[in-house]
Amino acid sequence: MKKLLTLTALAAATALALSGCASASTDAGATDDPTNESGVRIVASTNVYGDIAEQIGGDRVSVTSIIDSPDKDPHEYEADARTQLSLSKAQLVIENGGGYDDFVDTMLSAADNKIAPVLNAADISGYDEEPAEGEFNEHMWYDFPTVQKLSDELVNQLSAIDPEGAETYEKNAETFDSQLAALEQQEKDIKASFDQTGVAITEPVPLYMLEAAGLVNKTPDAFSEAIEEGTDVPADVLKQTQELFSSGQVKALVYNEQTAGAQTELVLKAAKDAGVPVVPVTETLPDGTDYVSWMTTNLNALQGALSGK
């Protein structure tokens, strides 16, 4: 499912970006030109990282998020002229890494932006990106220790770019970090009540959160890997997954709403038929919320499902 940027699309976007540069002075103005905004110019691969950057940067930054809606699939993104132009002028870039948003590096190469520092969450995490067993879980924003490290790096990089704002960045980070600590405490509270409780997933998206909460993923690896890669789930694996609910092995299904399909719908039906609560999650930030509120909602939903509320 991880579809890299095509050379044709990239070339077209680059040409359009150059055209956009030429016409910026005669078009509508600042709102039509992402490079015309005030503050440190940050480009983030998704609105998750864009929101985190805004939390730390406040009104001293202007942020462009490439994937800015749950309706857009990060795995299938193709370049457009506006994004290409934003990246070419970025002073700081934030990407997830780990193979999740390779289009950012591809577009940076085309933009020939060799100056802007790039914060890669997977690298910042310190986790082994080539584990001896299993596959690397690249969904770093569900891992609060990694987000904490990213917050620290944002303060460092923004303070280097904009020294006059250093105190602001540090204060904003203190507030954000205290909110992260509250989220981690909620994970510990769930673990205290439900340690080693079985749950099912459709994709590995929320696994860092589930593991931190002491929950055990009972889903066959072959199921979640097939769904993530957009391939068919073998019939016997689908049956094993459906039986998790009828046999009472799991107390909740954590369901990625952004990759619903025929086989995930069958699993969803099996959960509902067995009376197993469903906790919906997404990969990108829902409209009208921020990172901390979003994660609080996810944890509240998980805690409520496990408690039977």
Side-chain angles (χ1 to χ4, degrees):
M1 213 162 102
K2 297 180 178 64
K3 179 181 175 184
L4 297 182
L5 195 65
T6 65
L7 292 177
T8 301
L10 185 57
T14 304
L16 286 170
L18 293 174
S19 173
C21 289
S23 61
S25 61
T26 58
D27 286 341
T31 56
D32 292 329
D33 182 358
T35 69
N36 235 354
E37 298 171 355
S38 61
V40 178
R41 296 185 300 274
I42 302 174
V43 175
S45 63
T46 73
N47 60 359
V48 177
Y49 293 116
D51 180 75
I52 294 170
E54 289 175 345
Q55 299 301 317
I56 306 303
D59 59 8
R60 299 189 70 90
V61 303
S62 87
V63 178
T64 298
S65 297
I66 299 174
I67 304 296
D68 58 2
S69 166
D71 297 330
K72 298 179 181 179
D73 188 343
H75 303 301
E76 298 180 355
Y77 177 77
E78 292 187 357
D80 62 36
R82 186 178 179 84
T83 302
Q84 191 73 46
L85 179 59
S86 294
L87 274 170
S88 72
K89 301 298 183 182
Q91 293 172 275
L92 180 63
V93 177
I94 310 171
E95 64 181 356
N96 183 80
Y100 185 78
D101 45 13
D102 289 340
F103 62 83
V104 174
D105 295 326
T106 304
M107 292 175 72
L108 278 173
S109 297
D112 197 30
N113 187 341
K114 309 300 182 185
I115 299 174
V118 178
L119 296 182
N120 181 306
D123 291 346
I124 290 170
S125 74
Y127 296 147
D128 183 0
E129 296 181 44
E130 296 182 2
E133 296 183 5
E135 294 187 2
F136 178 68
N137 180 9
E138 70 271 25
H139 305 96
M140 309 310 306
W141 60 98
Y142 274 90
D143 182 62
F144 300 138
T146 294
V147 175
Q148 166 70 68
K149 292 178 181 178
L150 176 62
S151 171
D152 293 342
E153 287 297 321
L154 276 166
V155 172
N156 292 338
Q157 292 292 342
L158 288 173
S159 297
I161 296 168
D162 173 28
E164 292 183 1
E167 184 176 352
T168 296
Y169 302 136
E170 290 171 3
K171 287 182 178 179
N172 289 347
E174 286 176 7
T175 299
F176 182 70
D177 294 349
S178 68
Q179 294 172 324
L180 285 180
L183 293 174
E184 291 186 272
Q185 182 58 55
Q186 190 168 2
E187 288 178 330
K188 292 176 182 177
D189 292 343
I190 294 173
K191 183 174 183 178
S193 299
F194 301 102
D195 192 26
Q196 299 304 300
T197 296
V199 294
I201 61 172
T202 52
E203 285 193 70
V205 173
L207 274 184
Y208 286 115
M209 175 182 287
L210 300 180
E211 290 167 357
L215 305 175
V216 179
N217 173 32
K218 298 286 188 177
T219 314
D221 289 341
F223 179 86
S224 54
E225 289 171 4
I227 297 301
E228 186 175 30
E229 296 300 326
T231 60
D232 288 336
V233 179
D236 60 329
V237 174
L238 178 59
K239 182 179 179 182
Q240 291 171 32
T241 306
Q242 291 172 300
E243 288 175 349
L244 291 173
F245 308 100
S246 58
S247 63
Q249 295 182 58
V250 297
K251 292 196 68 171
L253 168 64
V254 186
Y255 184 87
N256 182 3
E257 291 185 308
Q258 284 180 260
T259 53
Q263 293 176 311
T264 58
E265 288 291 333
L266 288 173
V267 169
L268 181 63
K269 182 178 185 302
K272 291 181 176 179
D273 288 347
V276 174
V278 177
V279 179
V281 295
T282 58
E283 296 186 46
T284 50
L285 192 67
D287 293 337
T289 189
D290 58 45
Y291 176 78
V292 172
S293 298
W294 175 40
M295 288 297 155
T296 300
T297 297
N298 288 335
L299 284 168
N300 287 343
L302 179 62
Q303 197 164 17
L306 295 171
S307 303
K309 297 180 180 179

